[in-house]
Amino acid sequence: MSTKNRGDRIQLLHKVVTKHFSPVAASDDRTVLEHLLYGCCLENTSYEAADEAFHRLQESFFDWNEVRVTTVSELRETLHNLPDPTAAAMRIKRCLQSLFETRYSFDLEDMIKMNQGKAIQELEKLAGMSRFVLAYVTQHALGGHSIPISDSIMQILLMTEIVSESEAAKGQIPGLERTISKTKGVEFASCLHQLAVLNAQSPAAKQTKAILKDAGAVEPKKPAATTPPAKSAAAKPPKNDKNDKAKTEKVEKGDKPEKADKLAKAEKATPKAATKKSPPKKVEPTKKVATGKKAPSKKIASKPAAAKKSSKSPDPAAKNSKRKPR
């Protein structure tokens, strides 16, 4: 992006935002520390919400040291009207804690008379100090020329093609303070901040789209819809899965998937009789008879001789008849 083209875009954005929004002046009776804490509340939110949160913060606690020792959850309840009360509470608590460890007090009024570069370097070392809060303190408390840039403002600069993706990632806006003079820096920063908050809260509103169109914003390209690859119908079923195979065959034949599921469940529930093999019957071996030879006959055991005799005792008359006469 050329310097001339960037300068023209910044000038167009300045013209559009000052046309649609009125600048909000910062309070002159605030100290350097109060500007710092107010900037922690103002980041990525409207001026009305930041005023309410900062006023409640002053009324709810005795002093800033009590705010320092308060937990983040308690501070979040006090700042509940902000879009991101947790982030604001952490910024406030970390800045106060780092300031207490560095200076052992909460007085920063000596930075007004200090060299501006040295004061900015000291503020940069505070934990929780964001780019937006540092620029806000520099512009309103130290009288320097620095335009506060938050994440929502960076989104506007991306949409208007004032910065590129790589510059936005590094937080760099080349030529911004050079194109916008110091006398117009406060009004430009205030009006740009209001546009960024409006875009963050209602990006689809007609008013937001009309203002961004006048500022030369380009709508982000929508990513092309990618359709998942269709599964091939001829996919082979996995091996050793008979039920899935039967199910796919039934679906291919025209059966409904629900019907195929019921059939598969029924097959699982009922045991298959055909699969059970009955044990083989025992067959008695037959005696082989040689061809042409008679089968050997069984020998009958002869009874013993003693068995042939009658068991009856002999007749005594018969014995007397055989005797010789005297």
Side-chain angles (χ1 to χ4, degrees):
M1 182 184 296
S2 63
T3 306
K4 183 179 179 180
N5 191 19
R6 192 194 304 272
D8 293 342
R9 290 180 180 275
I10 294 173
Q11 291 288 355
L12 176 62
L13 180 61
H14 179 212
K15 181 180 178 180
V16 171
V17 294
T18 52
K19 176 182 176 182
H20 291 87
F21 300 97
S22 300
V24 178
S27 179
D28 296 332
D29 57 350
R30 288 179 184 154
T31 63
V32 177
L33 179 61
E34 288 174 347
H35 278 296
L36 189 152
L37 299 177
Y38 181 81
C40 293
C41 297
L42 182 63
E43 187 169 354
N44 294 318
T45 190
S46 63
Y47 284 97
E48 294 80 6
D51 291 339
E52 181 183 349
F54 185 72
H55 179 72
R56 194 184 301 112
L57 195 68
Q58 289 177 310
E59 295 293 329
S60 302
F61 299 95
F62 178 73
D63 56 4
W64 298 121
N65 187 58
E66 186 181 357
V67 176
R68 177 184 68 87
V69 298
T70 305
T71 61
V72 174
S73 59
E74 293 178 356
L75 288 176
R76 181 177 57 196
E77 293 177 0
T78 306
L79 308 173
H80 62 85
N81 65 308
L82 299 179
D84 193 353
T86 304
M90 290 183 67
R91 284 193 295 267
I92 292 172
K93 184 175 175 62
R94 293 179 65 189
C95 283
L96 289 174
Q97 181 65 31
S98 181
L99 185 62
F100 178 77
E101 294 174 356
T102 305
R103 292 198 163 202
Y104 303 103
S105 66
F106 301 104
D107 187 11
L108 296 176
E109 295 305 305
D110 60 314
M111 288 189 174
I112 298 175
K113 299 178 180 180
M114 192 185 300
N115 181 275
Q116 193 174 99
K118 186 178 179 181
I120 292 173
Q121 287 180 358
E122 187 173 343
L123 289 173
E124 284 178 341
K125 295 178 182 179
L126 297 178
M129 179 65 66
S130 65
R131 175 183 56 197
F132 176 87
V133 177
L134 179 63
Y136 185 86
V137 174
T138 303
Q139 185 182 60
H140 294 281
L142 304 180
H145 182 38
S146 181
I147 298 174
I149 303 296
S150 60
D151 293 338
S152 56
I153 293 176
M154 187 64 75
Q155 187 64 28
I156 298 294
L157 299 179
L158 277 169
M159 295 174 67
T160 53
E161 296 184 341
I162 293 175
V163 295
S164 60
E165 293 285 348
S166 59
E167 291 171 344
K170 297 176 182 178
Q172 299 176 351
I173 306 96
L176 182 62
E177 280 82 7
R178 186 172 59 252
T179 305
I180 303 297
S181 61
K182 184 179 179 180
T183 56
K184 297 180 180 179
V186 175
E187 68 172 9
F188 174 71
S190 175
C191 296
L192 180 59
H193 181 80
Q194 295 177 64
L195 174 60
V197 172
L198 179 65
N199 180 62
Q201 292 177 350
S202 55
K206 292 182 179 180
Q207 181 185 3
T208 309
K209 290 183 177 181
I211 296 173
L212 291 174
K213 186 178 179 180
D214 293 343
V218 179
E219 294 183 1
K221 295 181 180 179
K222 296 181 180 180
T226 57
T227 56
K231 296 181 179 180
S232 60
K236 294 182 179 180
K239 294 181 180 180
N240 302 326
D241 197 348
K242 296 180 180 179
N243 295 329
D244 290 346
K245 185 176 181 181
K247 183 178 176 181
T248 51
E249 288 177 355
K250 289 173 185 176
V251 174
E252 288 176 358
K253 288 178 182 178
D255 292 342
K256 295 182 179 179
E258 296 179 357
K259 188 176 179 181
D261 292 338
K262 292 180 180 179
L263 291 172
K265 290 179 181 179
E267 289 175 1
K268 288 182 180 180
T270 57
K272 296 182 180 179
T275 55
K276 294 184 178 180
K277 295 182 180 180
S278 58
K281 296 181 180 180
K282 294 182 180 181
V283 181
E284 296 181 358
T286 56
K287 294 181 179 181
K288 294 182 179 180
V289 181
T291 57
K293 294 182 181 181
K294 293 182 180 180
S297 59
K298 295 181 180 179
K299 294 181 180 181
I300 301 171
S302 58
K303 293 182 180 180
K308 292 181 180 179
K309 292 181 179 181
S310 174
S311 61
K312 294 180 180 181
S313 60
D315 191 3
K319 289 183 179 180
N320 294 329
S321 63
K322 288 182 181 180
R323 291 179 181 179
K324 292 179 180 182
R326 289 181 182 178

